[in-house]
Amino acid sequence: MSLLRDRDFLLLFAGQAVSRFGDGLYTAATAWLAWSLTKDPTAVAVVSVSAFAPAFLATFVSASYADRYDRRKLMIATDLARVAVVAVAAVLLSLGLLNLSLLVVTTALLALIGAPFAPARNAIVTQIVPADRLQQANGLLQVAFRAAFFVGPLMLAPLLAYGSMRAALVVNGLTFLGSAGAVAALRVTRPVLAAGQAGLWADLAAGLRAVRAAPDVLVVIVTFVLALALTSGFLTVGLVAVVGQGGRYGLLLGVAGVAEVVGALLLAGLRMRRLALAAVLAWALLGIFRAPLGIVTSTTGAAVLLIATGLASALTDIPLIALVQQRIPSHHLAKALGLWEAGVAGALAVSPFVASTTIALTGVQDAFLLSGAALVVLAMTATLTLARTDRAQRPGQVSIGLSGSEAEQPAVAPESAR
């Protein structure tokens, strides 16, 4: 992977791997802390929702600042602010003052402060990587993100066994410092801002217009958010009902996580010409393998299906990010990515309720079948919509989903690649 020999990309890759490790550790730690404080599963759910709701509300709005100001400095400030919040939480825990209410506030505050970070990070990639290597870059970053996030929860047990919950929070704070240091070391030229820079609301409106002007991007983002709402909860709520045993549940989640990492690694080495089409059809593939999960009777059978869905999962977001990076002008890029991130946060918040309600009404087997069928129908609808928008384009415009640099460069601002 030649990109890893590029100093700036390697710094971004390593720094964000460290940061995602901390995210995974913090997610597991707060869930366990909520349980240990209350012994109430509802409290765990409340803490989980507090991590998504602020991101859903704030990500798109805060992403405007990543388009109008220095993305690198914004990422550093965000990381340092999160270090301060985690440090306060560790002090409160040490003093025995951290209760459920303060834990919810802390988790929500971290989510709110971190809202502009992911859009800024995904947008800054275009300032580091040439346009024709964006898919490879996003694939490698997803390998780091998924692997590190998967490892993070695994470290909670030894940290609690040989240290304490406070040690877990300290480690999480150190990961934010590591991320800030890596970003600070990047040699990134700040994009030239347009003359007469718009205010917040005017900039947000312009960002929405930019997304609507790229109908393939809009179709792929909407498809992703709807599909995630239909499926994400089934990997947690539904899988618990299928396996009925904690050890098998943890094993199967691990299998799915490893498959996602492998899928991202494979995609980093491929070159797809039709990014939009690949991103929506991946959901149909995922639905086909997700549907039978409710009727499998063996761990091996469930593992095989989860490997297939894990591989397909990598195909849903890597082409999407590359498509947005190539089709949206640089001065609106973070807002477009923020719109997607906000949709993801909203989908993750409602998906467990979608899964649990469907299972309660139809049973586990039919619920998985319905979820898989819904994904296939959604993917086919998106494919037909992409075909119609492709035909509606004027002669000479870029064809939907093309990822070659010769096709996409007119849609990328000149300052977005080195």
Side-chain angles (χ1 to χ4, degrees):
M1 297 297 181
S2 58
L3 271 178
L4 292 177
R5 292 194 292 270
D6 181 277
R7 174 190 177 278
D8 289 329
F9 182 79
L10 181 59
L11 281 169
L12 185 66
F13 177 89
Q16 296 316 296
V18 169
S19 179
R20 286 297 286 169
F21 166 80
D23 290 342
L25 174 62
Y26 184 78
T27 299
T30 51
W32 180 254
L33 189 53
W35 173 258
S36 63
L37 289 171
T38 64
K39 305 301 181 185
D40 183 359
T42 303
V44 180
V46 169
V47 170
S48 298
V49 171
S50 71
F52 293 120
F56 171 65
L57 296 172
T59 299
F60 174 61
V61 174
S62 60
S64 170
Y65 294 96
D67 280 333
R68 294 185 294 138
Y69 300 101
D70 190 315
R71 291 165 183 161
R72 175 175 160 274
K73 290 181 179 179
L74 180 63
M75 291 168 67
I76 295 170
T78 298
D79 272 334
L80 294 179
R82 290 189 286 187
V83 170
V85 173
V86 172
V88 171
V91 171
L92 291 174
L93 182 62
S94 299
L95 297 175
L97 300 176
L98 187 64
N99 55 29
L100 179 62
S101 297
L102 288 175
L103 180 62
V104 169
V105 170
T106 299
T107 303
L109 188 58
L110 275 177
L112 189 63
I113 293 172
F117 188 89
R121 178 198 62 213
N122 289 329
I124 208 171
V125 172
T126 63
Q127 297 169 236
I128 297 172
V129 178
D132 60 347
R133 304 184 74 183
L134 286 173
Q135 182 191 320
Q136 181 187 10
N138 290 312
L140 289 172
L141 288 172
Q142 288 298 318
V143 169
F145 297 164
R146 294 168 192 261
F149 193 83
F150 174 67
V151 172
L154 297 179
M155 291 302 298
L156 180 61
L159 281 171
L160 293 180
Y162 298 102
S164 63
M165 181 61 72
R166 183 179 60 183
L169 293 179
V170 170
V171 170
N172 183 52
L174 291 175
T175 64
F176 286 133
L177 282 177
S179 171
V183 174
L186 291 176
R187 298 169 183 164
V188 179
T189 302
R190 179 179 176 179
V192 178
L193 299 177
Q197 189 177 355
L200 173 61
W201 300 113
D203 185 55
L204 291 175
L208 289 174
R209 288 194 297 270
V211 174
R212 289 199 299 269
D216 51 341
V217 171
L218 184 60
V219 168
V220 173
I221 288 177
V222 171
T223 301
F224 189 101
V225 172
L226 291 177
L228 198 62
L230 291 172
T231 62
S232 177
F234 283 89
L235 194 58
T236 52
V237 178
L239 195 58
V240 167
V242 169
V243 300
Q245 200 268 340
R248 290 177 60 199
Y249 175 67
L251 173 65
L252 290 174
L253 283 181
V255 167
V258 171
E260 290 186 11
V261 173
V262 172
L265 186 60
L266 292 174
L267 283 180
L270 297 178
R271 180 180 175 84
M272 288 180 288
R273 299 289 300 178
R274 297 184 63 83
L275 294 174
L277 188 62
V280 297
L281 287 180
W283 288 111
L285 183 63
L286 195 149
I288 290 170
F289 288 105
R290 178 65 61 86
L293 264 174
I295 59 176
V296 293
T297 57
S298 68
T299 302
T300 301
V304 170
L305 292 174
L306 286 171
I307 289 172
T309 58
L311 293 172
S313 176
L315 191 58
T316 62
D317 54 359
I318 294 173
L320 182 152
I321 298 171
L323 177 71
V324 175
Q325 289 169 335
Q326 292 178 343
R327 297 280 283 120
I328 302 297
S330 179
H331 56 285
H332 292 310
L333 183 53
K335 290 186 291 294
L337 292 164
L339 184 65
W340 172 59
E341 294 277 359
V344 168
L348 290 175
V350 304
S351 189
F353 299 102
V354 172
S356 60
T357 302
T358 307
I359 291 171
L361 292 174
T362 66
V364 176
Q365 294 184 8
D366 289 343
F368 270 100
L369 288 172
L370 287 172
S371 177
L375 280 183
V376 173
V377 171
L378 179 63
M380 293 301 102
T381 302
T383 300
L384 293 174
T385 304
L386 285 173
R388 285 198 296 269
T389 57
D390 192 13
R391 288 194 298 268
Q393 285 182 324
R394 295 192 302 272
Q397 281 189 318
V398 179
S399 178
I400 287 177
L402 292 179
S403 65
S405 60
E406 70 281 357
E408 297 291 355
Q409 282 178 347
V412 180
E415 71 273 11
S416 65
R418 286 193 304 136

